[in-house]
Amino acid sequence: MSVIRRTISTPILLTLILIAIALIAVATGSRPFNQTVIDIFLRVILVVGLYIFIGNSGVMSFGHIGFTCLGAYAAAWLTMPPMMKQTLLPGLPGWLMNTQLPFWAGAIAAALWAALWAALFGKILMRLSGIAASIATFAMLAMINTIYSNWESVTAATSSVVGIPIIRSIWPYLIAAILAVIVAWAHAISRAGLALRAARDEPTAAAASGVDIPKQRLIAFILSGAVMGMGGALFAHSIGVVTPDTFYLTLTFTTLSMLVVGGIGSLSGAVLGVVILSALIQALRWLEAGVTVGTTTIAIPNGLQEIALGIVMILILIRRPAGIMANSELRWPLSNPETTSLKNPGENPGNKPTQQGVSK
């Protein structure tokens, strides 16, 4: 209970930030801005999903967007009208062909589907060590992308799957983002989360103390896979169309960069990294379109957005190598200097998550 009391302010503050963003979108009444905020919430879900595994284990994963792909296509299979599935996806089994669930039920099923595959992949991958584990996760992503890009009768291959019900309301995405934050926080303060961070910082000592490192990593891998699957399902409902390449390298490196800029070992960093970089991306888009000030229109050349974003990210990491939050968490200000410390209980002295392998 003491851990809950010390850390409960973090998910509360992050929830308030997300609610404030949603209320701003509602107050503006702008459909384009509403979609921008939906995109922010989707990125929050995906980056928090990455944090659950990468932040707590210290193992860099390049394959988690594969679970987003699994979740997106599962949502398409479960929520598209049967007539559309018969035309676009004739290879689906009969029971799935005739099934049409509401979007929220499809998102839950998509999370469970992604978690199942995370368990199957993780049973093998979590026994690998160091860079080998990272490369293996990328191989998993490539394998999922290749299968979905060629399984024409079930995934329409590289063609777009259309007909997915589009959800324009901002509230389901807000609720899902808050749920992802709560799940990540609950795992971080649980016995499994504490053991995993101990293994991240001192794997030899943790193994000697009886911590089953592959098991703890597998738990985080499955949980993060479920969150990524839920994010993929909502991603599909936000645009109404999916293709395998949507869930490949571009989205992989975008979400990883947001996590790194915010702070790999920090839940607050995962959320704030998304908010800050998303705000920057939107500002650069406005400048590309042109902003009128009085009689003058200020605009930047098309394509400069990516260059400017890269420069800003480099400058942030030069000044804050451990990310904006430096692996710390947002907390209520308290009188006790020990409890006002923002650092994670398992943070290592150098403020850098390690990428250690499991003990042999």
Side-chain angles (χ1 to χ4, degrees):
M1 292 297 287
S2 61
V3 175
I4 295 177
R5 285 197 300 269
R6 288 200 309 270
T7 61
I8 188 63
S9 58
T10 297
I12 291 176
L13 290 172
L14 295 177
T15 296
L16 291 176
I17 290 172
L18 296 175
I19 292 174
I21 294 172
L23 293 177
I24 292 172
V26 172
T28 61
S30 168
R31 286 180 64 89
F33 187 66
N34 185 80
Q35 184 61 45
T36 297
V37 172
I38 287 175
D39 292 341
I40 290 175
F41 291 153
L42 289 172
R43 291 176 187 144
V44 166
I45 296 169
L46 299 184
V47 176
V48 168
L50 287 176
Y51 158 79
I52 292 174
F53 178 72
I54 298 175
N56 289 294
S57 71
V59 177
M60 184 63 70
S61 171
F62 297 103
H64 269 65
I65 294 302
F67 300 128
T68 307
C69 180
L70 294 174
Y73 276 89
W77 296 337
L78 291 168
T79 62
M80 286 175 60
M83 290 295 294
M84 293 289 293
K85 286 188 278 190
Q86 291 172 10
T87 302
L88 299 174
L89 309 171
L92 290 176
W95 66 270
L96 190 55
M97 186 77 73
N98 298 315
T99 299
Q100 185 175 12
L101 300 178
F103 80 92
W104 58 267
I108 294 173
L112 296 175
W113 174 247
L116 172 63
W117 284 102
L120 295 175
F121 282 116
K123 195 68 176 176
I124 300 171
L125 299 184
M126 295 304 99
R127 295 191 174 277
L128 299 176
S129 60
I131 191 65
S134 299
I135 294 175
T137 59
F138 180 76
M140 176 189 72
L141 172 65
M143 182 169 61
I144 292 173
N145 179 263
T146 300
I147 293 173
Y148 275 64
S149 296
N150 290 278
W151 201 358
E152 188 167 359
S153 63
V154 173
T155 65
T158 56
S159 300
S160 299
V161 176
V162 298
I164 304 170
I166 299 177
I167 308 301
R168 298 295 186 192
S169 173
I170 203 171
W171 305 115
Y173 304 96
L174 171 64
I175 293 170
I178 293 173
L179 178 61
V181 168
I182 293 173
V183 168
W185 167 76
H187 171 260
I189 66 169
S190 69
R191 184 184 297 273
L194 295 172
L196 185 57
R197 286 198 299 278
R200 176 196 70 187
D201 297 334
E202 296 292 343
T204 303
S209 301
V211 175
D212 187 341
I213 300 177
K215 177 183 176 181
Q216 301 306 330
R217 287 185 176 175
L218 179 60
I219 292 172
F221 198 70
I222 294 172
L223 190 59
S224 63
V227 172
M228 301 295 282
M230 176 182 68
L234 292 175
F235 192 108
H237 288 297
S238 72
I239 57 178
V241 58
V242 292
T243 59
D245 284 344
T246 303
F247 308 100
Y248 201 36
L249 297 181
T250 300
L251 190 57
T252 294
F253 292 114
T254 298
T255 51
L256 280 174
S257 64
M258 289 180 172
L259 179 62
V260 170
V261 168
I264 288 180
S266 167
L267 174 58
S268 302
V271 175
L272 295 180
V274 171
V275 173
I276 292 171
L277 288 186
S278 295
L280 179 60
I281 291 170
Q282 186 60 40
L284 292 172
R285 285 176 180 169
W286 282 336
L287 287 175
E288 279 190 352
V291 177
T292 302
V293 180
T295 58
T296 304
T297 300
I298 302 173
I300 61 176
N302 291 332
L304 192 61
Q305 176 192 146
E306 289 78 9
I307 298 174
L309 182 61
I311 292 173
V312 170
M313 289 172 58
I314 291 171
L315 292 176
I316 290 174
L317 293 176
I318 288 175
R319 299 298 301 271
R320 304 279 289 185
I324 293 172
M325 291 301 295
N327 298 327
S328 301
E329 299 290 356
L330 293 176
R331 300 279 173 81
W332 298 119
L334 301 173
S335 59
N336 187 339
E338 292 185 1
T339 56
T340 55
S341 171
L342 299 178
K343 300 195 175 192
N344 287 325
E347 184 182 336
N348 56 29
N351 278 344
K352 297 178 182 178
T354 57
Q355 189 175 10
Q356 301 286 348
V358 299
S359 58
K360 296 182 180 180

